[in-house]
C-alpha cells in the first residue's frame, strides 16, 4: 500500500548501509556463522525439519535389491543458506551415512537423536550462499513406528517389493531430507532394481536404461514437493498410460491382484481431474496417475501427482476423487503447521460431495441434515484445528465436510464457490494456515466469520443452530 512505501525505503537504506559497512543487525542472519536449528518448530513435531537453509532440489540415485532389502543411495542436494551457517542438519531415520561433501569438500558429520544428521562443512556458509551437499549412505530401510499413526515410510510388500507411504513423515526412511512442509523442492530420482521389477514414483517418466545388476528407472517431479509426498513403489506392475486433453501425462500402476473394479475407477481419472479443475481452478501439478498396491495398509495417500492406494477398499471413485482433490488442497497448497491439517483433509473429504451433487443429483442439504442427525457426540467434541499430535487424522474426514457445507450455506453459494476455486491459485506452491483461510473467506464474503469458525473449527461441541442450520439448511425430520 502507498502508506507503507516510506517504511520500505527506510528499511532498504538501512540494509544497504549494513551491507556497505559490513555491519550486521543482531539476529538478521548476517552475523557470525552459527548452527542451523535442529527442527522447523512445528508445535506437534518440533524436531522434524531443520532451519538455516532452503532446499531447491533433491537429486537421488538409489540401488535397491528386493531380495536382501539392501538400499545404497547417493543424495545430491541443491540448497541456499538462509543464515550464516557453521553447521546444519538433515533428517534421516536409520541407515548408515558413509560420507558427506559440501561444495565438493569433505565435511564432518555426526548422528544425534533418532533422525538428526548434523553436518559441519569445512568452510562456513554465508547467508544467501547457494551450496551443494553430496551424501553417500546405505542400509536396510525400516518404517517409523508411530503408536498413534502406525507405520510411516518405507514398507515391504508381501510379494517381495516395497513402497513408501506415510504422513506426517516418511521420506526420512529412505533419503536424507529437510523433513518439513515449509521446505518444498523439486525431486529427481534414478533407481536401479533387478530387471524383473518395475518402479513408479512422482512426476514424469524420464525413461529407463540398462545398468549393472538391473535397470535404472528415471523419474522427475518438477513441481516443488513436500518431502512426505514423495514416494517410490517397486513391484511387478501393470502400467496404464493416458493423457489429459492438455497433454498432461497420466501414468497409473497396478500391482498383481488389483481388481478390475479399481482399474475401471482409475480409468475415469481424466474425467475426475476435469471436474475438480472446474471446482478448484487449473490443475497445479505437472503429471497425474495412481499407484494401486496389493497391500492393505489402512489408508491411501495423496503422494504428489500420483496418489497411492491401499488394496481392498481404496480403489473406488470417491477415494480417487479425495486423493486427487489433495493435489490442490494439501499438495500444491501445503499446511503451514500440522494443526492446520483441516486445510488438506476437510476439503478433500468434501470433494466427493460435490461430485455426487454434480454427477448424480444428490441433494447435499438433505445429506447434510441426515448426517448431522446421526452424528454421535464424539464427532462434535472433536476439533478441526489444533486437535493435538497424533489426532490430526480423525474428525477432519467426517466433521470436515459438514463444516464446509454449513459454510457454503452461511456465506452463500456464489461466495463459497469463488473461495473454493481461487484459494489454491492464491497460495499455489506455498503454505497456508486456517487463520489465512478464515481471513480470505471473510474478505470475499464481506462479513466477519469469527463466530462461525469458533463454533465449527476452533472450538468443540455442537454448533449453535445459527451456525448449524444457516441459509437453506434445516434439521432432518
Amino acid at each position: 500500500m502507498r502508506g507503507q512505501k516510506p517504511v520500505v525505503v527506510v528499511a532498504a537504506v538501512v540494509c544497504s548501509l549494513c551491507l556497505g559497512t559490513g555491519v550486521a543487525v543482531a539476529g538478521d542472519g548476517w552475523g557470525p556463522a552459527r548452527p542451523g536449528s535442529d527442527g522447523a518448530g512445528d508445535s506437534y513435531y518440533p524436531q522434524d525439519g531443520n532451519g538455516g537453509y532452503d532446499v531447491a532440489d533433491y537429486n537421488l540415485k538409489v540401488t535397491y535389491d528386493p531380495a536382501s532389502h539392501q538400499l545404497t543411495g547417493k543424495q545430491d542436494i541443491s540448497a541456499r543458506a538462509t543464515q550464516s551457517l557453521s553447521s546444519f542438519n538433515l533428517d534421516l531415520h536409520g541407515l548408515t551415512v558413509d560420507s558427506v561433501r559440501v561444495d565438493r569438500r569433505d565435511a564432518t558429520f555426526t548422528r544425534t537423536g533418532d533422525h538428526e544428521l548434523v553436518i559441519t562443512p569445512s568452510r562456513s556458509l554465508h547467508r544467501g550462499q547457494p551450496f551443494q551437499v553430496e551424501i553417500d549412505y546405505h542400509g536396510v530401510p525400516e518404517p517409523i513406528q508411530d503408536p498413534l499413526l502406525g507405520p510411516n515410510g518405507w514398507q515391504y510388500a508381501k510379494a517381495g517389493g516395497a513402497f513408501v507411504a506415510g504422513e506426517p513423515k516418511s521420506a526420512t526412511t529412505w533419503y536424507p531430507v529437510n523433513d518439513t512442509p515449509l521446505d518444498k523442492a523439486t525431486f529427481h530420482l534414478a533407481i536401479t532394481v533387478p530387471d524383473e521389477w518395475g518402479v513408479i514414483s512422482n512426476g514424469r517418466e524420464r525413461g529407463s536404461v540398462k545398468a549393472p545388476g538391473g535397470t535404472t528407472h528415471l523419474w522427475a517431479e518438477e513441481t516443488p514437493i513436500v518431502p512426505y509426498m514423495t514416494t517410490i513403489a517397486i513391484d511387478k506392475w501393470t502400467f496404464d498410460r493416458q493423457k489429459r486433453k492438455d497433454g498432461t501425462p497420466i501414468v497409473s500402476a497396478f500391482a498383481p491382484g488389483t481388481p478390475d473394479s479399481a482399474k475401471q475407477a482409475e480409468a475415469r481419472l481424466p474425467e475426475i481431474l476435469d471436474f475438480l479443475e472446474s471446482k478448484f481452478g487449473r490443475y497445479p501439478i505437472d503429471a497425474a496417475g495412481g499407484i494401486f498396491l496389493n497391500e492393505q495398509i489402512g489408508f491411501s495417500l495423496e503422494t504428489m501427482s500420483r496418489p497411492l492406494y491401499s488394496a481392498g477398499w481404496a480403489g473406488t471413485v470417491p477415494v480417487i476423487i479425495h486423493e486427487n482433490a489433495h493435489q490442490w488442497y494439501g499438495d500444491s497448497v501445503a499446511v503451514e503447521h500440522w494443526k492446520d491439517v483441516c486445510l488438506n483433509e476437510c476439503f478433500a473429504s468434501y470433494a466427493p460431495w460435490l461430485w455426487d451433487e454434480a454427477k448424480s443429483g444428490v441433494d447435499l442439504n438433505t445429506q447434510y441434515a441426515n448426517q448431522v442427525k446421526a452424528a454421535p457426540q464424539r464427532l462434535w467434541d472433536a476439533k478441526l484445528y489444533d486437535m493435538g499430535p497424533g489426532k490430526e487424522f480423525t474428525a477432519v474426514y467426517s466433521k470436515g465436510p459438514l463444516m464446509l457445507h454449513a459454510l457454503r450455506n452461511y456465506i452463500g453459494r456464489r461466495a463459497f464457490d469463488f473461495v473454493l476455486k481461487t484459494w489454491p491459485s492464491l497460495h499455489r506452491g506455498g503454505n497456508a494456515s486456517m487463520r489465512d483461510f478464515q481471513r480470505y473467506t471473510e474478505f470475499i464474503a464481506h462479513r466477519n466469520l469469527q463466530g462461525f469458525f469458533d463454533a465449527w473449527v476452533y472450538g468443540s461441541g455442537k454448533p449453535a443452530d445459527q451456525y448449524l442450520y444457516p441459509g437453506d439448511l434445516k434439521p432432518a425430520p
Side-chain angles (χ1 to χ4, degrees), residues 4-5 26 34 45 63 67 75 77 97 129 165 205 245 264 279 300 303 340 355 363-364 398 411 423 438 441-442:
Q4 294 180 320
K5 282 187 178 179
R34 65 187 192 278
Y45 308 101
T63 299
Q75 173 71 294
I77 299 173
V97 176
Q129 177 183 339
E205 292 179 285
K245 287 179 286 189
Q264 291 161 4
K279 297 296 182 182
S300 294
T303 40
D340 298 308
W355 172 275
D363 184 335
L364 295 187
S398 51
I411 66 174
W423 171 262
Q438 177 188 339
T441 306
E442 288 175 333

Side-chain angles (χ1 to χ4, degrees), residues 52-116:
Y53 63 94
D54 178 69
V55 177
D57 179 69
Y58 295 102
N59 193 334
L60 180 59
K61 299 177 177 64
V62 171
T63 299
Y64 179 69
D65 177 32
S68 65
H69 295 174
Q70 186 72 27
L71 181 148
T72 302
K74 181 179 181 62
Q75 173 71 294
D76 293 339
I77 299 173
S78 300
R80 179 181 60 84
T82 57
Q83 68 170 69
S84 295
L85 287 169
S86 58
S87 65
F88 60 91
N89 289 23
L90 288 163
D91 301 304
L92 182 65
H93 178 79
L95 304 175
T96 298
V97 176
D98 301 308
S99 66
V100 179
R101 289 166 60 86
V102 177
D103 288 337
R104 300 184 180 180
R105 296 184 180 92
D106 290 341
T108 59
F109 61 91
T110 58
R111 306 292 292 272
T112 64
D114 68 348
H115 66 261
E116 299 291 344

Side-chain angles (χ1 to χ4, degrees), residues 453-474:
F453 277 80
D454 284 343
W456 271 103
V457 179
Y458 304 132
S460 59
K462 195 171 186 177
D465 281 358
Q466 70 185 103
Y467 304 119
L468 192 62
Y469 299 112
D472 294 330
L473 293 176
K474 295 178 176 58

Side-chain angles (χ1 to χ4, degrees), residues 26 33 118 141 179 189 231 256 260 281 314 368 386 391 399 402 436:
V118 184
D179 195 20
L189 174 67
T231 191
D260 289 342
Y368 171 91
D386 202 6
K391 300 177 183 177
K399 187 179 179 181
L402 292 174
D436 294 332

Side-chain angles (χ1 to χ4, degrees), residues 295-300 310 313:
E295 305 292 322
Q296 294 197 15
I297 58 173
F299 63 91
S300 294
S310 172
W313 54 274

Side-chain angles (χ1 to χ4, degrees), residues 26-341:
D28 70 355
W30 289 100
R34 65 187 192 278
S37 63
D38 65 353
D42 187 271
S43 59
Y44 290 2
Y45 308 101
Q47 288 192 293
D48 286 359
N50 307 279
Y53 63 94
D54 178 69
V55 177
D57 179 69
Y58 295 102
N59 193 334
L60 180 59
K61 299 177 177 64
V62 171
T63 299
Y64 179 69
D65 177 32
S68 65
H69 295 174
Q70 186 72 27
L71 181 148
T72 302
K74 181 179 181 62
Q75 173 71 294
D76 293 339
I77 299 173
S78 300
R80 179 181 60 84
T82 57
Q83 68 170 69
S84 295
L85 287 169
S86 58
S87 65
F88 60 91
N89 289 23
L90 288 163
D91 301 304
L92 182 65
H93 178 79
L95 304 175
T96 298
V97 176
D98 301 308
S99 66
V100 179
R101 289 166 60 86
V102 177
D103 288 337
R104 300 184 180 180
R105 296 184 180 92
D106 290 341
T108 59
F109 61 91
T110 58
R111 306 292 292 272
T112 64
D114 68 348
H115 66 261
E116 299 291 344
L117 170 62
V118 184
I119 298 171
T120 303
S122 61
R123 298 179 182 179
S124 295
L125 303 170
H126 301 293
R127 181 182 179 185
Q129 177 183 339
F131 63 97
Q132 302 287 131
V133 186
E134 302 168 59
I135 303 169
D136 292 307
Y137 63 102
H138 74 277
V140 174
E142 294 292 343
I144 299 165
Q145 298 293 343
D146 188 288
L148 295 174
L149 301 174
N152 278 259
W154 191 281
Q155 301 177 55
Y156 296 99
K158 293 187 291 290
F163 59 93
V164 174
E167 186 181 13
K169 59 188 81 180
S170 64
T172 61
T173 61
W174 66 297
Y175 65 92
V177 63
N178 190 20
D179 195 20
T180 169
L182 297 174
D183 195 0
K184 298 182 179 183
T186 53
F187 180 75
H188 296 84
L189 174 67
I191 179 166
T192 303
V193 294
D195 292 335
E196 65 268 24
W197 295 95
V199 171
I200 189 163
S201 185
N202 308 90
R204 298 193 177 205
E205 292 179 285
R206 297 300 191 207
S208 59
V209 294
K210 194 73 180 72
T215 300
T216 300
H217 303 267
L218 307 173
W219 292 86
E221 180 55 87
E222 302 292 354
T223 304
I225 183 172
V226 168
Y228 80 85
M229 297 174 192
T230 61
T231 191
I232 182 72
I234 302 161
D235 211 316
K236 297 176 180 178
W237 305 107
T238 298
F239 287 93
D240 179 73
R241 294 173 173 86
Q242 307 180 62
K243 282 188 177 181
R244 295 193 68 207
K245 287 179 286 189
D246 65 1
T248 301
I250 299 175
V251 181
S252 300
F254 304 94
T258 302
D260 289 342
S261 59
K263 297 176 182 178
Q264 291 161 4
E266 180 71 354
R268 300 185 69 181
L269 184 56
E271 177 191 2
I272 290 169
L273 293 177
D274 287 348
F275 172 77
L276 294 174
E277 198 169 63
S278 75
K279 297 296 182 182
F280 302 151
R282 183 167 63 91
Y283 183 61
I285 316 297
D286 64 351
I291 303 170
F292 289 79
L293 303 174
N294 194 17
E295 305 292 322
Q296 294 197 15
I297 58 173
F299 63 91
S300 294
L301 188 63
E302 62 271 20
T303 40
M304 182 180 274
S305 71
R306 201 147 287 115
L308 188 146
Y309 300 99
S310 172
W313 54 274
T316 64
V317 167
V319 176
I320 292 170
I321 292 169
H322 177 108
E323 302 303 340
N324 281 280
H326 274 306
Q327 306 305 305
W328 287 263
Y329 285 90
D331 288 20
S332 176
V333 184
V335 292
E336 191 169 285
H337 302 285
W338 281 105
K339 64 185 178 182
D340 298 308
V341 76

